[in-house]
Structures are given as C-alpha cells and as structure tokens.
Amino acid sequence: MKVEKALQIFLLAALLLIGGGVADTAEAANWRNMEVYNNTGYTIQRLYITAREQRNWGDDLLGNRVLYNGGHDSFRYSADYQYYEIKIVFSDGSTREWTDDHALNFRGSTMIVFSYAGNGQFRAKVD
C-alpha cells in the first residue's frame, strides 16, 4: 500500500514537471528578438519599450550601456502584444516618445531604426 502511494506521488510529480516544461517552452516561444539601430545623429542614453496595454515604462533596456549614433543593440519582446510604445532619452536629456496613436506595430518585426528627419523630428521605423 505504501509503495503504491509513493508511486502515485512520484507519477503525479513527474506529470507536473513535464507539464511545467511544456508551459515554459510555450511561453518562451512567444518571445522575439528585435534589433535596434540608432541613426539619429545623437547618442541614446536610455531606451524604454513597453506594450501599449501595460502603460508602464519599466526598466531601461540599455542598462549601463549607451547606443551611439551608427550603433545597434538587441532585446527580446513578447509577441503576445502587437503595439508597443517607445521612449528614448538622448545623452543631453532630451526625449522622444512614440505612444498612444503613435505606438509601433511590432507584429512580425525584427528591427527598429531610429533616424533624424530634420526640423527636430525623429522617426522610428519598424521592419
């Protein structure tokens, strides 16, 4: 009787572990890589990207790094969301945001290129 009970507990634990592994794999499959290119003419000091639905900038994706003009970096984002808001902070403290109706559609995208359009205007192109 004790052996049967132990075997049942073992099998239940094994099923839970296998099930957890499947969930982790499915969750990991929803993450995508995104390359970020800085062609603005300025150094980007901080980069914030968040799903439009979350309304919270969260952590700076660059951490202790900066994104020099002509440079690039990469990050991972959740494919569970389609539209993302972006905030960049330049080394002089000025900022540019793409929020609300200007949020970017990340569906199927692997690259963002920030560029300077002139007259104080910046672009963020997602491909």
Side-chain angles (χ1 to χ4, degrees):
M1 187 73 162
K2 287 183 180 182
V3 172
E4 286 179 35
K5 188 68 167 177
L7 184 56
Q8 287 175 346
I9 292 171
F10 173 76
L11 290 174
L12 179 60
L15 286 172
L16 288 173
L17 286 174
I18 291 170
V22 170
D24 290 344
T25 302
E27 186 176 307
N30 288 330
W31 289 92
R32 305 285 188 268
N33 291 321
M34 181 71 79
E35 296 291 322
V36 179
Y37 293 87
N38 178 11
N39 295 331
T40 63
Y42 303 92
T43 298
I44 297 175
Q45 189 78 32
R46 293 191 297 276
L47 172 65
Y48 302 94
I49 299 178
T50 186
R52 183 169 60 184
E53 294 85 351
Q54 294 184 346
R55 312 300 285 173
N56 178 359
W57 287 120
D59 295 332
D60 169 19
L61 293 177
L62 295 175
N64 60 0
R65 302 179 317 274
V66 296
L67 190 54
Y68 294 105
N69 181 53
H72 77 279
D73 204 336
S74 63
F75 67 93
R76 293 176 58 78
Y77 73 97
S78 171
D80 292 338
Y81 300 96
Q82 182 171 354
Y83 290 94
Y84 281 80
E85 297 183 331
I86 297 175
K87 177 180 180 180
I88 55 178
V89 180
F90 295 104
S91 57
D92 67 357
S94 62
T95 64
R96 176 63 171 101
E97 295 181 10
W98 290 266
T99 59
D100 299 319
D101 292 339
H102 301 286
L104 300 173
N105 184 346
F106 276 25
R107 186 65 39 97
S109 300
T110 59
M111 176 175 46
I112 303 172
V113 178
F114 296 112
S115 61
Y116 183 66
N119 297 324
Q121 300 296 312
F122 292 90
R123 291 191 182 126
K125 183 179 178 190
V126 179
D127 286 322

